[in-house]
């Protein structure tokens, strides 16, 4: 009886785990990932994939991520490298990022991040990033939905053009990655 009472007291005195908020879940993506980047062919109504590797790192400040992605764009182009630095403001859920790719002007963007529902744990959650921007040289609302299901992380990019009537989301591309290391 005394042991059970001591165990109960110890459990009640233990600090509660940190909440699984956007900041903590972003950091749970740090590591090495492999998979594919897929584009949708609207005429054939099929997805076409390219092999992809991603390395996500943090300098340790709890709010900055550095994402290094590479995908094979075929024999003419070869490997495409994209480096993105992302900075989160935990108070607002706003993430500012700068993306760098050889032969292109660096891109600066900002999105608002939110969880679709409370996270089950650090490896099971859905996060949505939304922003106004441009797609196909048209003003658009951009939505990236990232689903983490254990060792698999899938991000779907959808676009709703703002220069037409109504709301109609189009699936643009997606990445499906499997964690392969730290």
């Amino acid at each position: 009886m005394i042991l059970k009472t001591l165990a109960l007291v110890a459990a009640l005195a233990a600090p509660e785990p940190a909440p699984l908020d956007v900041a903590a879940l972003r950091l749970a993506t740090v590591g090495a990932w492999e998979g594919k980047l897929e584009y949708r062919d609207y005429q054939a109504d099929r997805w076409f994939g390219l092999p992809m590797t991603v390395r996500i790192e943090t300098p340790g400040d709890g709010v900055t991520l550095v994402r290094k992605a590479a995908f094979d764009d075929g024999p003419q182009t070869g490997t495409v490298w994209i480096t993105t630095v992302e900075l989160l403001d935990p108070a607002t859920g706003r993430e500012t990022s700068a993306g760098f790719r050889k032969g292109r002007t660096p891109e600066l963007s900002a999105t608002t991040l939110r969880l679709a529902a409370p996270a089950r744990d650090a490896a099971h959650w859905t996060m949505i990033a939304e922003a106004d921007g441009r797609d196909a040289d048209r003003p658009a609302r951009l939505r990236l939905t990232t689903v983490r299901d254990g060792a698999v992380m899938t991000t779907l990019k959808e676009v709703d053009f703002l220069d037409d009537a109504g709301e109609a989301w189009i699936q643009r591309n997606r990445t499906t990655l499997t964690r392969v290391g730290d």
Side-chain angles (χ1 to χ4, degrees):
M1 181 66 164
I2 292 176
L3 290 177
K4 286 184 180 179
T5 303
L6 290 174
L8 178 60
V9 169
L12 293 174
E16 288 197 29
L20 294 172
D21 58 9
V22 166
L25 297 172
R26 285 173 73 252
L27 291 175
T29 66
V30 169
W33 300 81
E34 290 180 357
K36 60 187 171 182
L37 166 63
E38 295 178 283
Y39 291 97
R40 187 157 172 233
D41 179 331
Y42 296 105
Q43 293 176 345
D45 196 26
R46 291 182 43 210
W47 290 94
F48 291 92
L50 305 169
M52 178 179 213
T53 61
V54 176
R55 175 98 187 132
I56 302 173
E57 301 171 347
T58 180
D61 63 3
V63 294
T64 303
L65 293 178
V66 178
R67 179 183 175 101
K68 301 172 193 173
F71 63 90
D72 183 350
D73 202 16
Q76 188 172 16
T77 303
T79 301
V80 175
W81 294 91
I82 301 173
T83 303
T84 308
V85 179
E86 303 166 342
L87 177 68
L88 176 69
D89 178 346
T92 64
R94 192 137 173 96
E95 181 182 73
T96 303
S97 66
F100 304 90
R101 178 174 170 174
K102 180 181 174 181
R104 296 199 180 176
T105 302
E107 294 181 16
L108 183 63
S109 64
T111 60
T112 301
L113 303 178
R114 64 181 170 83
L115 294 176
R120 192 168 90 208
D121 57 42
H124 295 91
W125 45 264
T126 300
M127 189 179 304
I128 299 170
E130 293 180 307
D132 288 331
R134 298 191 69 77
D135 190 271
D137 288 326
R138 295 172 62 187
R141 183 84 177 143
L142 310 172
R143 178 171 62 200
L144 285 87
T145 303
T146 301
V147 177
R148 173 89 188 265
D149 186 13
V152 177
M153 185 166 58
T154 303
T155 300
L156 174 67
K157 179 182 179 182
E158 297 172 287
V159 176
D160 175 31
F161 293 108
L162 300 175
D163 59 0
D164 60 12
E167 183 175 328
W169 290 93
I170 299 168
Q171 295 180 347
R172 190 55 101 196
N173 61 50
R174 68 181 172 204
T175 59
T176 303
L177 303 170
T178 301
R179 188 180 186 102
V180 293
D182 292 332

